[in-house]
Amino acid sequence: MTHLPHPDAAGITVTCAIVTVSDTRSIETDKSGQLIQQLLQDAKHTIEAYTIVKDEPADIKQQVEALSKNESVDVIIFNGGTGIAPRDTTYDAIEQLLEKTLPGFGELFRFLSYQEIGSRAIASRAVAGVYQQKLIFSVPGSSNAVKLAMEKLILPELAHLVSQLRKK
């Protein structure tokens, strides 16, 4: 018997910002960023911002800082730059900003990835946490990884996690 968590409050709409980290993608070629937008909209959430930034730590941090100041944004979802190649700096830039981490997110993402792609999943540095009352997710940039993270982890828990952050 599977134990299900208590139900979320009905009708919570979450306002999200999407940031694709890439040195090569454009708005037209950013299939992963488009997929995140589509999945959020299908789940009746709102897109407040969408941008593409170069895989430069200063640029990534600047996006976190700017979006965190936007009072309407609840969640920032990054995709790209989570591997170990020299240009993969998203994890490094975001992880040091997080005030609280959600270690289970990265652990579960790698577990689910392992089931799909095998041992290559160890190279993923997917991470999630909280910065200035904003929920932040950072996932790999491949569309398969985005789909996995969104459908299996982020969307099922988004309303619950944001409602936890909204508690006074």
Side-chain angles (χ1 to χ4, degrees), residues 46-136:
T46 304
I47 311 299
E48 173 73 15
Y50 163 68
T51 191
I52 298 174
V53 299
K54 296 285 184 209
D55 205 334
E56 294 289 345
D59 294 350
I60 296 164
K61 287 179 184 178
Q62 188 277 328
Q63 282 298 312
V64 173
E65 296 286 347
L67 291 167
S68 294
K69 288 180 174 73
N70 184 332
E71 290 186 22
S72 64
V73 170
D74 298 305
V75 178
I76 307 167
I77 302 173
F78 285 83
N79 75 96
T82 62
I84 61 167
R87 293 290 300 154
D88 290 335
T89 63
T90 306
Y91 173 86
D92 306 291
I94 290 174
E95 188 271 338
Q96 52 186 263
L97 292 175
L98 295 177
E99 297 156 352
K100 293 182 180 183
T101 59
L102 297 172
F105 174 78
E107 294 162 0
L108 284 170
F109 177 79
R110 284 180 284 281
F111 170 74
L112 293 169
S113 292
Y114 177 78
Q115 293 178 328
E116 288 190 3
I117 64 170
S119 59
R120 291 252 166 108
I122 67 170
S124 168
R125 297 189 299 157
V127 66
V130 178
Y131 176 71
Q132 296 190 358
Q133 292 299 105
K134 308 296 182 191
L135 188 58
I136 297 177

